[in-house]
Amino acid sequence: MWSSLAASTLSSTHRGRETVISSRWFKGFTIALACGLLAFPATSAAAPGGQGYGKPSDGARSLGDPLLPQLGNGGYDAEHYRIELDYDPGANRLDSAETTMIATASQKLREFSLDFQDDLEVSSVEVDGRAAGFSAEEATPDLSDDPDVTQPMKLVVTPHPSTRPKAGREFTVEVQYAGQPQPITDPDTSIEGWINACFPFDPPQTCDGAFVVGEPMGSQSWFPSNNYPTDKATFDTLIRVPNGSTALGVGELAELTEHADGTSTWHWTEDDPTATYLTTATVGDFIFDVGSMVETSTGTTLPVYNAIDATASPAQLAAINASLARAPEQINFLSELYGPYPFDSTGAVADRAAGVGYALEVQTKPHYSGGFTSGDPSIDVGTQLHELAHQWVGNSVTLETWADIWFNEGWANWSEWYWQFLENGGDDPAAIWDDLYATTPAEDWETAPALLDGDPANLFHFFPTYQRGAMTVQGYREIVGDQTFFAFAKAIQSQFGHGNVSTAEFIAAAEEASGFTGARLELLDDYFQQWLYGETRPTIVPDDFGP
Ligand SMILES: [Zn+2]
């Protein structure tokens, strides 16, 4: 994600030390609670009667995230989603919708939950083809004291006793629903999820559909899922819209079917593992183009799906096309850095969605929302590099918990520093590092990237997540030298690609790659502890490691 607003609101969103202390207590409590929940099914599985055939138990309604314990569900692992939407862009309404999740149970389930807001009306839930009980429940604990922040919800499913999922067995959940999806307001007051794509910010507005982005939790505004980054799955996204509207999903366009009633179904398929926060179902009046590019590290030809808001002025269109024309060279720059492009297609969505103000690295199709007030569509070429870098760092190698967000954003931001320097007349990353280390005010160092004061409102806080994250990467580069560093940049892709990495796993991999031993290795470990977990300006700098 990249927001030009984040940098400008940095000082106003800084949290005081009192908040730090209280939120630490809060965090400790939620972790203990989640562990308690997770311990329950383990006991059950060991009961007489064999694993999965003993007494059924309830799946946990949390995966114990340090910042967002409201998200994720235990007791099963999602493998595939088929999402079918019948969408009316004029009314911004899902006339009908059906999401089918194929999952494997890890315990015998009397009850389990999915992450799903209750703005949409669920008409039926079936488990393995048999009607199941269901209810909407608030996730716990409360996400925020601010009444404008959306409280995450759960769809709790109680299968008929004859179709209770059994440990190790695959099962299918089919949810039918309809209504008007609502955007989600995050703890930092930004919006995400199903956003009616309108401009300008102040009425009267013109609207043409939906700008659909989901970091960290927006996907639960439009389809039920296990909405947590570690439960990646493959996706079929089928969206029926009036002819003339363009509908977009993750992955490749498998089929475009015209119906007799003046509507068409856009069927997108993504067969690489995809985190739910990287999905989309954006619909609008777009100039839609299917092209191709050659990924030079493998010689693979990739389809390129570009969608530009149809109301773009000739000047806006020319500027967007100038940025898009550089995307293939940027992808090849990144594939030299990180290894082969991890997915089977690429593209971009330049929409006109006022009130959003950020870009998001939607898998295979980075989304650009346009100006916050005007909605004017644009793609900054540096931001484009950032979102394309996320396809490797973020989308293929994905954070393990939301407290690891510095990994996604630190690497993407560093990638942009590096590209700007080599290809676009920017400063040397080493000089950026020196400048930030010398000039960043003391209070900005008080938020540790891998802790974020335990406050989800700090997830996209510019200095700790983006700048200090990138400094940690650049500092490591200076410590180990370019040869080791660039081999490591590729190694994390081969080691963690199409999966997840925690901060601890990252540090362990970086230390191993360094080849350091003894006191030098201890100093490197202290370096990472200070830079990622320290709540003051780190004292260990690359110069401490000698030439
Ligand atoms: Zn980003």
Side-chain angles (χ1 to χ4, degrees), residues 1 361 386-396 408-409 412:
M1 183 189 280
E361 64 269 24
H386 177 111
E387 307 307 339
L388 290 172
H390 272 311
Q391 305 303 313
W392 284 264
V393 283
N395 298 12
S396 179
N408 287 14
E409 300 304 345

Side-chain angles (χ1 to χ4, degrees), residues 395-445:
N395 298 12
S396 179
V397 181
T398 305
L399 41 61
E400 174 95 8
T401 75
W402 286 107
D404 304 316
I405 187 69
W406 75 268
F407 173 86
N408 287 14
E409 300 304 345
W411 277 93
N413 195 26
W414 178 84
S415 301
E416 188 187 343
W417 290 359
Y418 184 61
W419 177 82
Q420 292 280 11
F421 173 57
L422 289 182
E423 305 289 334
N424 214 37
D427 291 336
D428 189 325
I432 298 174
W433 191 102
D434 289 346
D435 182 56
L436 286 172
Y437 189 71
T439 63
T440 302
E443 68 262 31
D444 286 351
W445 296 98

